[in-house]
Amino acid sequence: METYRLQPHPGHPPRAVSGVDARIIGRDDNWLRLRWRIEGSGELVVPKFAGKGRADGLWQTTCFELFLRPDGGTAYCEFNLSPSERWNAYDFAAHREGMAERPIPREPVCTMRMGSSFAIFDAALPAAALPDTDCAMGLTCVIEEAGGHKSFWALEHRGEQPDFHDPACFTARLAAPSGA
């Protein structure tokens, strides 16, 4: 599957992180599996283990996100995934409008692995939680480094401030499941 090179927002550059790649590593009838690879992770702040469960505000530290907007509309969904194993999912009617908690039939699986100069975050989302049609896709992350320094990574940025909800960030594609 295709690997996407994420770009840091120019107004919030990283310190030590030199690159972030994201990709879908697998999809079947039960799960969509994603991976983010962070290069230059020596100063990466990893949230402490908190156990599975919904939580708000995950983006305030290192967090990985998936946005899906079904073709032909303005509604989209957002999945927030943390190395702490906390997660959340939201539906939006349009750009930052009409936010509601998205029902998830089973909890996502989140796993963080640290290497000497890189980190890998893997997530598995239940397939039943995803739209069953072709979607525009945004892969993003917030990276916190030592001292509270944050950088904001997306496929593309517009505007002076980071906004992962901007439709310009949804430049990748996720095809409908093969059986849909």
Side-chain angles (χ1 to χ4, degrees):
M1 302 227 162
E2 186 173 355
T3 298
Y4 302 94
R5 177 63 109 177
L6 303 186
Q7 304 301 316
H9 188 277
H12 300 271
R15 285 190 179 154
V17 171
S18 58
V20 177
D21 290 334
R23 67 186 182 122
I24 295 170
I25 57 173
R27 186 174 191 178
D28 59 31
D29 291 341
N30 298 309
W31 299 99
L32 174 68
R33 292 176 181 81
L34 304 116
R35 173 170 290 162
W36 286 260
R37 181 182 172 99
I38 302 103
E39 296 293 336
S41 61
E43 295 186 27
L44 182 67
V45 173
V46 177
K48 292 180 183 176
F49 174 77
K52 291 183 180 186
R54 282 189 185 262
D56 288 317
L58 296 173
W59 56 268
Q60 295 176 4
T61 186
T62 300
C63 177
F64 302 86
E65 301 179 357
L66 170 69
F67 292 83
L68 296 172
R69 185 184 67 236
D71 289 352
T74 59
Y76 62 98
C77 54
E78 172 186 6
F79 299 89
N80 295 341
L81 306 157
S82 172
S84 71
E85 291 195 5
R86 295 291 179 167
W87 60 274
N88 218 330
Y90 308 96
D91 285 321
F92 291 86
H95 182 241
R96 293 191 179 274
E97 294 179 12
M99 184 175 99
E101 202 169 80
R102 184 176 183 84
I104 302 291
R106 64 193 292 192
E107 295 194 277
V109 177
C110 301
T111 307
M112 186 78 169
R113 296 185 311 253
M114 301 294 292
S116 58
S117 63
F118 66 93
I120 293 176
F121 179 77
D122 285 335
L125 292 169
L130 305 173
D132 62 358
T133 184
D134 291 347
C135 292
M137 177 173 67
L139 293 159
T140 67
C141 63
V142 175
I143 299 294
E144 183 177 355
E145 295 180 89
H149 183 83
K150 292 183 189 130
S151 54
F152 302 86
W153 299 74
L155 295 167
E156 189 174 316
H157 294 279
R158 290 203 184 141
E160 293 183 26
Q161 295 300 317
D163 182 4
F164 295 158
H165 295 253
D166 185 331
C169 293
F170 302 5
T171 62
R173 303 285 307 157
L174 181 66
S178 56

